[in-house]
Amino acid sequence: MFARYSPDCKHWSSWQPLLRNEKETGTVLFKGELGVPQREREKYEQYIEKYLRKDDQPSDDEEAFVRLILEKEPDFFEHTLPFIGYIQFLVEPPAFPPWRIKGFDAEIGWGVSGLITSKHANFETRWRFKAN
Protein backbone atom coordinates (compact mmCIF):
# COMPACT_ATOMS: atom_id res chain seq x y z
CA MET A 1 0.00 0.00 0.00
CA PHE A 2 1.30 3.41 -0.96
CA ALA A 3 0.05 6.98 -0.64
CA ARG A 4 0.89 10.29 -2.29
CA TYR A 5 -0.39 13.85 -2.05
CA SER A 6 -1.11 16.84 -4.26
CA PRO A 7 -2.10 20.47 -3.74
CA ASP A 8 -4.11 20.58 -7.00
CA CYS A 9 -4.90 17.04 -8.27
CA LYS A 10 -2.41 17.53 -11.10
CA HIS A 11 1.04 17.62 -9.51
CA TRP A 12 1.76 14.73 -7.16
CA SER A 13 4.44 13.75 -4.69
CA SER A 14 6.21 10.43 -5.13
CA TRP A 15 4.49 7.32 -3.77
CA GLN A 16 5.26 6.77 -0.08
CA PRO A 17 5.04 3.24 1.34
CA LEU A 18 2.63 2.59 4.20
CA LEU A 19 3.73 0.06 6.80
CA ARG A 20 1.91 -3.26 7.00
CA ASN A 21 0.57 -4.44 10.35
CA GLU A 22 -1.45 -7.65 10.73
CA LYS A 23 -3.95 -7.85 13.53
CA GLU A 24 -4.69 -11.08 15.36
CA THR A 25 -7.95 -11.36 13.43
CA GLY A 26 -6.07 -11.82 10.16
CA THR A 27 -6.94 -8.32 9.04
CA VAL A 28 -4.10 -6.44 7.40
CA LEU A 29 -3.75 -2.78 8.33
CA PHE A 30 -1.47 -0.20 6.81
CA LYS A 31 -0.27 2.88 8.60
CA GLY A 32 1.85 5.79 7.52
CA GLU A 33 2.43 9.48 7.60
CA LEU A 34 2.62 12.08 4.84
CA GLY A 35 4.22 15.41 5.57
CA VAL A 36 5.50 18.52 3.84
CA PRO A 37 8.98 19.81 4.74
CA GLN A 38 9.07 23.46 5.80
CA ARG A 39 11.43 24.35 2.95
CA GLU A 40 8.70 23.28 0.50
CA ARG A 41 6.35 25.83 2.11
CA GLU A 42 8.71 28.83 2.19
CA LYS A 43 7.92 30.41 -1.20
CA TYR A 44 4.21 29.67 -0.76
CA GLU A 45 4.17 31.42 2.62
CA GLN A 46 6.00 34.41 1.09
CA TYR A 47 3.22 34.71 -1.48
CA ILE A 48 0.59 34.50 1.28
CA GLU A 49 2.27 37.28 3.28
CA LYS A 50 2.40 39.47 0.18
CA TYR A 51 -1.24 38.70 -0.61
CA LEU A 52 -2.38 39.47 2.94
CA ARG A 53 -0.94 42.98 2.66
CA LYS A 54 -3.58 43.81 0.04
CA ASP A 55 -6.49 45.50 1.80
CA ASP A 56 -9.11 44.35 -0.70
CA GLN A 57 -8.44 40.62 -0.30
CA PRO A 58 -10.12 38.35 2.27
CA SER A 59 -7.52 36.96 4.66
CA ASP A 60 -9.08 33.52 5.09
CA ASP A 61 -9.49 32.39 1.47
CA GLU A 62 -6.53 30.12 0.80
CA GLU A 63 -8.00 28.95 -2.51
CA ALA A 64 -7.88 32.59 -3.62
CA PHE A 65 -4.21 32.65 -2.58
CA VAL A 66 -3.54 29.68 -4.85
CA ARG A 67 -5.35 31.27 -7.80
CA LEU A 68 -3.33 34.47 -7.32
CA ILE A 69 -0.05 32.54 -7.21
CA LEU A 70 -0.92 30.61 -10.37
CA GLU A 71 -1.86 33.83 -12.20
CA LYS A 72 1.63 35.14 -11.49
CA GLU A 73 3.49 31.82 -11.79
CA PRO A 74 1.41 29.20 -13.69
CA ASP A 75 4.00 26.43 -13.18
CA PHE A 76 4.35 27.02 -9.41
CA PHE A 77 3.27 23.49 -8.42
CA GLU A 78 5.66 21.94 -10.96
CA HIS A 79 8.51 23.06 -8.70
CA THR A 80 7.09 22.64 -5.21
CA LEU A 81 4.25 20.87 -3.39
CA PRO A 82 3.78 23.16 -0.38
CA PHE A 83 0.72 21.54 1.19
CA ILE A 84 -1.52 18.46 1.11
CA GLY A 85 -4.83 19.13 -0.61
CA TYR A 86 -5.56 15.63 -1.91
CA ILE A 87 -4.38 12.11 -1.14
CA GLN A 88 -4.35 9.03 -3.39
CA PHE A 89 -3.79 5.44 -2.35
CA LEU A 90 -2.21 2.68 -4.43
CA VAL A 91 -2.75 -0.97 -3.54
CA GLU A 92 -0.35 -3.53 -4.96
CA PRO A 93 -1.30 -7.12 -4.14
CA PRO A 94 1.46 -9.47 -3.01
CA ALA A 95 3.10 -11.77 -5.56
CA PHE A 96 1.41 -14.86 -4.13
CA PRO A 97 -2.33 -15.48 -4.67
CA PRO A 98 -5.03 -15.52 -3.41
CA TRP A 99 -5.45 -12.01 -2.15
CA ARG A 100 -8.72 -10.17 -2.08
CA ILE A 101 -9.67 -6.75 -0.77
CA LYS A 102 -12.85 -7.06 1.25
CA GLY A 103 -12.97 -3.45 2.33
CA PHE A 104 -11.09 -0.20 2.42
CA ASP A 105 -11.31 2.29 5.24
CA ALA A 106 -9.00 5.28 5.57
CA GLU A 107 -8.65 7.43 8.65
CA ILE A 108 -6.92 10.71 7.96
CA GLY A 109 -5.87 13.20 10.59
CA TRP A 110 -4.14 16.50 10.05
CA GLY A 111 -2.30 19.18 11.90
CA VAL A 112 -1.22 22.71 11.12
CA SER A 113 1.86 24.52 12.27
CA GLY A 114 3.12 27.99 11.55
CA LEU A 115 1.62 31.38 12.21
CA ILE A 116 0.53 32.14 8.66
CA THR A 117 -1.58 29.08 7.99
CA SER A 118 -3.09 28.64 11.43
CA LYS A 119 -3.98 32.32 11.71
CA HIS A 120 -5.44 32.82 8.24
CA ALA A 121 -6.75 29.47 6.99
CA ASN A 122 -10.44 28.67 6.91
CA PHE A 123 -10.86 25.23 8.53
CA GLU A 124 -14.65 25.18 8.09
CA THR A 125 -14.58 24.29 4.38
CA ARG A 126 -12.97 21.43 2.53
CA TRP A 127 -10.22 21.98 -0.04
CA ARG A 128 -11.78 22.31 -3.50
CA PHE A 129 -9.08 23.75 -5.75
CA LYS A 130 -8.19 21.59 -8.77
CA ALA A 131 -5.83 22.50 -11.61
CA ASN A 132 -7.21 22.74 -15.12
Side-chain angles (χ1 to χ4, degrees), residues 66-94:
V66 169
R67 283 189 282 282
L68 177 76
I69 290 169
L70 294 177
E71 282 176 19
K72 297 180 182 300
E73 196 174 331
D75 62 347
F76 182 79
F77 290 133
E78 291 178 22
H79 307 293
T80 186
L81 303 173
F83 58 86
I84 300 172
Y86 299 92
I87 299 173
Q88 283 186 338
F89 295 96
L90 171 66
V91 179
E92 289 187 338

Short mmCIF file of all heavy atoms in Angstrom, two decimals, residues 66-94:
data_model
loop_
_atom_site.label_atom_id
_atom_site.label_comp_id
_atom_site.label_asym_id
_atom_site.label_seq_id
_atom_site.Cartn_x
_atom_site.Cartn_y
_atom_site.Cartn_z
N VAL A 66 -4.08 30.58 -3.83
CA VAL A 66 -3.54 29.68 -4.85
C VAL A 66 -3.83 30.23 -6.25
O VAL A 66 -2.94 30.22 -7.11
CB VAL A 66 -4.10 28.25 -4.68
CG1 VAL A 66 -3.76 27.38 -5.86
CG2 VAL A 66 -3.56 27.64 -3.39
N ARG A 67 -5.03 30.70 -6.48
CA ARG A 67 -5.35 31.27 -7.80
C ARG A 67 -4.45 32.47 -8.12
O ARG A 67 -3.98 32.62 -9.24
CB ARG A 67 -6.83 31.66 -7.87
CG ARG A 67 -7.75 30.46 -8.06
CD ARG A 67 -9.18 30.88 -8.34
NE ARG A 67 -9.90 31.30 -7.16
CZ ARG A 67 -10.42 30.47 -6.25
NH1 ARG A 67 -10.29 29.17 -6.40
NH2 ARG A 67 -11.07 30.92 -5.20
N LEU A 68 -4.20 33.31 -7.13
CA LEU A 68 -3.33 34.47 -7.32
C LEU A 68 -1.91 34.02 -7.67
O LEU A 68 -1.29 34.55 -8.59
CB LEU A 68 -3.31 35.33 -6.06
CG LEU A 68 -2.37 36.52 -6.12
CD1 LEU A 68 -2.96 37.62 -6.99
CD2 LEU A 68 -2.08 37.04 -4.73
N ILE A 69 -1.40 33.06 -6.94
CA ILE A 69 -0.05 32.54 -7.21
C ILE A 69 0.04 32.01 -8.63
O ILE A 69 0.98 32.30 -9.36
CB ILE A 69 0.33 31.45 -6.19
CG1 ILE A 69 0.53 32.06 -4.81
CG2 ILE A 69 1.58 30.70 -6.64
CD1 ILE A 69 0.65 31.03 -3.70
N LEU A 70 -0.96 31.22 -9.04
CA LEU A 70 -0.92 30.61 -10.37
C LEU A 70 -1.12 31.62 -11.49
O LEU A 70 -0.68 31.39 -12.61
CB LEU A 70 -1.93 29.47 -10.45
CG LEU A 70 -1.61 28.29 -9.53
CD1 LEU A 70 -2.70 27.23 -9.62
CD2 LEU A 70 -0.25 27.68 -9.83
N GLU A 71 -1.77 32.74 -11.20
CA GLU A 71 -1.86 33.83 -12.20
C GLU A 71 -0.47 34.40 -12.46
O GLU A 71 -0.11 34.70 -13.59
CB GLU A 71 -2.77 34.95 -11.70
CG GLU A 71 -4.23 34.67 -11.81
CD GLU A 71 -5.07 35.79 -11.21
OE1 GLU A 71 -4.54 36.92 -11.02
OE2 GLU A 71 -6.24 35.54 -10.91
N LYS A 72 0.30 34.56 -11.39
CA LYS A 72 1.63 35.14 -11.49
C LYS A 72 2.68 34.12 -11.92
O LYS A 72 3.65 34.46 -12.58
CB LYS A 72 2.02 35.78 -10.16
CG LYS A 72 1.11 36.92 -9.76
CD LYS A 72 1.53 37.53 -8.45
CE LYS A 72 0.61 38.64 -8.03
NZ LYS A 72 0.52 39.74 -8.95
N GLU A 73 2.50 32.88 -11.51
CA GLU A 73 3.49 31.82 -11.79
C GLU A 73 2.73 30.51 -12.09
O GLU A 73 2.56 29.67 -11.21
CB GLU A 73 4.39 31.66 -10.56
CG GLU A 73 5.64 30.90 -10.83
CD GLU A 73 6.58 30.88 -9.63
OE1 GLU A 73 6.57 31.82 -8.82
OE2 GLU A 73 7.30 29.89 -9.51
N PRO A 74 2.27 30.34 -13.33
CA PRO A 74 1.41 29.20 -13.69
C PRO A 74 2.03 27.82 -13.42
O PRO A 74 1.31 26.86 -13.19
CB PRO A 74 1.16 29.38 -15.18
CG PRO A 74 1.41 30.82 -15.45
CD PRO A 74 2.44 31.26 -14.46
N ASP A 75 3.35 27.73 -13.42
CA ASP A 75 4.00 26.43 -13.18
C ASP A 75 4.48 26.27 -11.74
O ASP A 75 5.33 25.43 -11.44
CB ASP A 75 5.16 26.25 -14.15
CG ASP A 75 6.25 27.30 -13.98
OD1 ASP A 75 6.01 28.32 -13.30
OD2 ASP A 75 7.34 27.12 -14.54
N PHE A 76 3.91 27.03 -10.82
CA PHE A 76 4.35 27.02 -9.41
C PHE A 76 4.40 25.60 -8.83
O PHE A 76 5.37 25.20 -8.21
CB PHE A 76 3.44 27.92 -8.57
CG PHE A 76 3.85 28.00 -7.13
CD1 PHE A 76 4.90 28.82 -6.75
CD2 PHE A 76 3.20 27.27 -6.15
CE1 PHE A 76 5.29 28.91 -5.41
CE2 PHE A 76 3.57 27.36 -4.82
CZ PHE A 76 4.62 28.18 -4.46
N PHE A 77 3.33 24.82 -9.02
CA PHE A 77 3.27 23.49 -8.42
C PHE A 77 4.14 22.47 -9.15
O PHE A 77 4.31 21.35 -8.67
CB PHE A 77 1.83 22.98 -8.34
CG PHE A 77 1.00 23.73 -7.33
CD1 PHE A 77 -0.26 24.19 -7.66
CD2 PHE A 77 1.47 23.98 -6.05
CE1 PHE A 77 -1.04 24.87 -6.74
CE2 PHE A 77 0.71 24.67 -5.12
CZ PHE A 77 -0.55 25.11 -5.46
N GLU A 78 4.71 22.83 -10.29
CA GLU A 78 5.66 21.94 -10.96
C GLU A 78 6.98 21.91 -10.21
O GLU A 78 7.75 20.97 -10.35
CB GLU A 78 5.87 22.39 -12.40
CG GLU A 78 4.66 22.17 -13.28
CD GLU A 78 4.86 22.66 -14.70
OE1 GLU A 78 6.03 22.77 -15.14
OE2 GLU A 78 3.84 22.94 -15.35
N HIS A 79 7.23 22.94 -9.40
CA HIS A 79 8.51 23.06 -8.70
C HIS A 79 8.42 22.76 -7.21
O HIS A 79 9.43 22.48 -6.58
CB HIS A 79 9.07 24.47 -8.89
CG HIS A 79 9.16 24.89 -10.31
ND1 HIS A 79 10.01 24.30 -11.22
CD2 HIS A 79 8.46 25.81 -11.01
CE1 HIS A 79 9.86 24.85 -12.40
NE2 HIS A 79 8.91 25.77 -12.31
N THR A 80 7.24 22.87 -6.65
CA THR A 80 7.09 22.64 -5.21
C THR A 80 5.66 22.16 -4.90
O THR A 80 4.72 22.52 -5.59
CB THR A 80 7.40 23.93 -4.42
OG1 THR A 80 7.38 23.65 -3.03
CG2 THR A 80 6.42 25.04 -4.72
N LEU A 81 5.55 21.34 -3.88
CA LEU A 81 4.25 20.87 -3.39
C LEU A 81 4.14 21.32 -1.94
O LEU A 81 4.48 20.58 -1.02
CB LEU A 81 4.16 19.34 -3.51
CG LEU A 81 4.37 18.77 -4.91
CD1 LEU A 81 4.43 17.26 -4.86
CD2 LEU A 81 3.30 19.25 -5.86
N PRO A 82 3.67 22.56 -1.71
CA PRO A 82 3.78 23.16 -0.38
C PRO A 82 2.74 22.73 0.65
O PRO A 82 2.85 23.08 1.82
CB PRO A 82 3.63 24.65 -0.68
CG PRO A 82 2.77 24.70 -1.89
CD PRO A 82 3.15 23.50 -2.70
N PHE A 83 1.72 21.99 0.23
CA PHE A 83 0.72 21.54 1.19
C PHE A 83 -0.01 20.32 0.63
O PHE A 83 0.08 20.01 -0.56
CB PHE A 83 -0.28 22.65 1.54
CG PHE A 83 -1.02 23.20 0.36
CD1 PHE A 83 -2.19 22.60 -0.10
CD2 PHE A 83 -0.55 24.32 -0.31
CE1 PHE A 83 -2.87 23.10 -1.19
CE2 PHE A 83 -1.23 24.83 -1.41
CZ PHE A 83 -2.38 24.21 -1.85
N ILE A 84 -0.74 19.64 1.49
CA ILE A 84 -1.52 18.46 1.11
C ILE A 84 -2.97 18.88 0.92
O ILE A 84 -3.63 19.25 1.88
CB ILE A 84 -1.40 17.35 2.16
CG1 ILE A 84 0.06 16.93 2.32
CG2 ILE A 84 -2.29 16.16 1.81
CD1 ILE A 84 0.33 15.98 3.47
N GLY A 85 -3.43 18.82 -0.31
CA GLY A 85 -4.83 19.13 -0.61
C GLY A 85 -5.61 17.87 -0.92
O GLY A 85 -6.80 17.77 -0.62
N TYR A 86 -4.94 16.90 -1.51
CA TYR A 86 -5.56 15.63 -1.91
C TYR A 86 -4.60 14.48 -1.62
O TYR A 86 -3.39 14.66 -1.64
CB TYR A 86 -5.89 15.64 -3.42
CG TYR A 86 -6.85 16.73 -3.80
CD1 TYR A 86 -6.39 17.98 -4.21
CD2 TYR A 86 -8.21 16.50 -3.72
CE1 TYR A 86 -7.29 18.99 -4.55
CE2 TYR A 86 -9.12 17.51 -4.06
CZ TYR A 86 -8.63 18.74 -4.47
OH TYR A 86 -9.52 19.73 -4.79
N ILE A 87 -5.18 13.31 -1.38
CA ILE A 87 -4.38 12.11 -1.14
C ILE A 87 -4.91 11.00 -2.04
O ILE A 87 -6.12 10.84 -2.18
CB ILE A 87 -4.47 11.66 0.33
CG1 ILE A 87 -3.91 12.74 1.26
CG2 ILE A 87 -3.72 10.34 0.55
CD1 ILE A 87 -4.10 12.45 2.73
N GLN A 88 -3.99 10.23 -2.62
CA GLN A 88 -4.35 9.03 -3.39
C GLN A 88 -3.69 7.84 -2.72
O GLN A 88 -2.60 7.95 -2.15
CB GLN A 88 -3.85 9.11 -4.83
CG GLN A 88 -4.65 9.97 -5.73
CD GLN A 88 -4.16 9.88 -7.17
OE1 GLN A 88 -3.02 9.51 -7.45
NE2 GLN A 88 -5.03 10.23 -8.09
N PHE A 89 -4.34 6.69 -2.85
CA PHE A 89 -3.79 5.44 -2.35
C PHE A 89 -3.58 4.48 -3.51
O PHE A 89 -4.35 4.48 -4.47
CB PHE A 89 -4.75 4.79 -1.33
CG PHE A 89 -4.92 5.60 -0.09
CD1 PHE A 89 -5.99 6.47 0.06
CD2 PHE A 89 -4.00 5.51 0.95
CE1 PHE A 89 -6.15 7.23 1.19
CE2 PHE A 89 -4.14 6.28 2.10
CZ PHE A 89 -5.22 7.13 2.22
N LEU A 90 -2.52 3.69 -3.42
CA LEU A 90 -2.21 2.68 -4.43
C LEU A 90 -2.05 1.35 -3.70
O LEU A 90 -1.26 1.23 -2.76
CB LEU A 90 -0.91 3.04 -5.15
CG LEU A 90 -0.31 1.99 -6.08
CD1 LEU A 90 -1.24 1.76 -7.28
CD2 LEU A 90 1.06 2.41 -6.56
N VAL A 91 -2.82 0.36 -4.14
CA VAL A 91 -2.75 -0.97 -3.54
C VAL A 91 -2.09 -1.90 -4.55
O VAL A 91 -2.56 -2.03 -5.68
CB VAL A 91 -4.16 -1.50 -3.19
CG1 VAL A 91 -4.07 -2.89 -2.60
CG2 VAL A 91 -4.85 -0.55 -2.23
N GLU A 92 -1.01 -2.52 -4.13
CA GLU A 92 -0.35 -3.53 -4.96
C GLU A 92 -0.46 -4.86 -4.23
O GLU A 92 0.08 -5.01 -3.13
CB GLU A 92 1.11 -3.18 -5.18
CG GLU A 92 1.31 -2.00 -6.10
CD GLU A 92 2.77 -1.77 -6.45
OE1 GLU A 92 3.66 -2.24 -5.71
OE2 GLU A 92 3.02 -1.11 -7.46
N PRO A 93 -1.15 -5.83 -4.82
CA PRO A 93 -1.30 -7.12 -4.14
C PRO A 93 0.05 -7.85 -4.08
O PRO A 93 0.92 -7.61 -4.91
CB PRO A 93 -2.30 -7.88 -5.01
CG PRO A 93 -2.25 -7.21 -6.33
CD PRO A 93 -1.84 -5.80 -6.10
N PRO A 94 0.21 -8.71 -3.10
CA PRO A 94 1.46 -9.47 -3.01
C PRO A 94 1.61 -10.41 -4.19
O PRO A 94 0.64 -10.70 -4.91
CB PRO A 94 1.32 -10.24 -1.70
CG PRO A 94 -0.14 -10.27 -1.42
CD PRO A 94 -0.73 -9.05 -2.06
#
